[in-house]
Amino acid sequence: MLTTRLGDITTARVGAIVNAANSRLMGGGGVDCAIHRAGRPSILRECRAIVERRGNLPTGEAVITSAGDLRCDYVIHTVGPVWTGDDAPEHDRLLASAYTASLELAAAHAVRTIAFPNISCGVYRFPKDRAATVALGAVRAWIAANPGVVDAVEFVCFDRENLELYERELRVDPHEASP
């Protein structure tokens, strides 16, 4: 089941929340800062250990940590693309990869419910309407290829504009899309 709501992802009661992280996993701004603040220092310690072990996280990839003081079991950290306006197909591919890599990690850790923020739509300036289309397309494709693995995916939007875009995109029947 795919749903969306306006709110604070740090309050989501799911198996895992996804963090729109920077490549250093150091709790930058926006949702990244909010997750690190609400989850407390244990998340940052785990992120530092990951970066020490493997280096910065490439765009489109994901890693998982515990959730510290959050209401979920895990935080999945993924890096979305920074929108530059050029090479849009590559930006779309990397954004889709951020969603699918997160779902793969959730599945590997037996997470049945997951909440996503609007990845790359803040300081990374990805066009919000395009991001909603890419996000829902990637998640729908992953669920279709992995039936029964995840029970619920929630998109927690940080503003009304994103909420309306995701609600509109959820109403689009993917089977009626033009080729």
Side-chain angles (χ1 to χ4, degrees), residues 7-21:
D8 177 358
I9 198 168
T10 66
T11 64
R13 293 183 183 271
V14 292
I17 63 173
V18 176
N19 179 18

Side-chain angles (χ1 to χ4, degrees), residues 4-171:
T4 188
R5 71 175 172 89
L6 182 66
D8 177 358
I9 198 168
T10 66
T11 64
R13 293 183 183 271
V14 292
I17 63 173
V18 176
N19 179 18
N22 59 53
S23 62
R24 296 176 320 281
L25 305 178
M26 292 297 133
V31 71
D32 192 16
C33 179
I35 288 170
H36 278 273
R37 187 180 312 120
R40 311 291 285 165
S42 63
I43 295 173
L44 183 58
R45 279 193 300 274
E46 289 181 58
C47 286
R48 283 185 176 143
I50 290 167
V51 171
E52 284 177 21
R53 187 173 61 251
R54 64 173 280 173
N56 289 349
L57 186 63
T59 302
E61 293 187 18
V63 294
I64 194 167
T65 65
S66 68
D69 291 346
L70 295 168
R71 297 175 177 176
C72 55
D73 297 319
Y74 300 102
V75 176
I76 297 171
H77 308 265
T78 191
V79 180
V82 175
W83 183 263
T84 60
D86 58 349
D87 201 14
E90 181 66 6
H91 287 79
D92 291 353
R93 184 190 68 74
L94 289 168
L95 183 60
S97 178
Y99 283 92
T100 57
S102 297
L103 288 164
E104 288 293 330
L105 270 178
H109 287 82
V111 170
R112 305 290 299 175
T113 56
I114 186 170
F116 283 99
N118 307 114
I119 298 171
S120 287
C121 291
V123 298
Y124 285 11
R125 301 178 318 276
F126 207 101
K128 293 177 182 181
D129 57 342
R130 186 180 191 118
T133 300
V134 171
L136 268 290
V139 170
R140 282 177 167 147
W142 189 90
I143 289 171
N146 299 277
V149 174
V150 173
D151 296 329
V153 176
E154 181 177 44
F155 295 92
V156 182
C157 300
F158 63 87
D159 63 19
R160 290 211 176 275
E161 181 183 7
N162 273 296
L163 178 66
E164 290 169 7
L165 291 166
Y166 276 74
E167 286 175 340
R168 184 184 72 215
E169 195 65 34
L170 281 171
R171 288 190 298 269

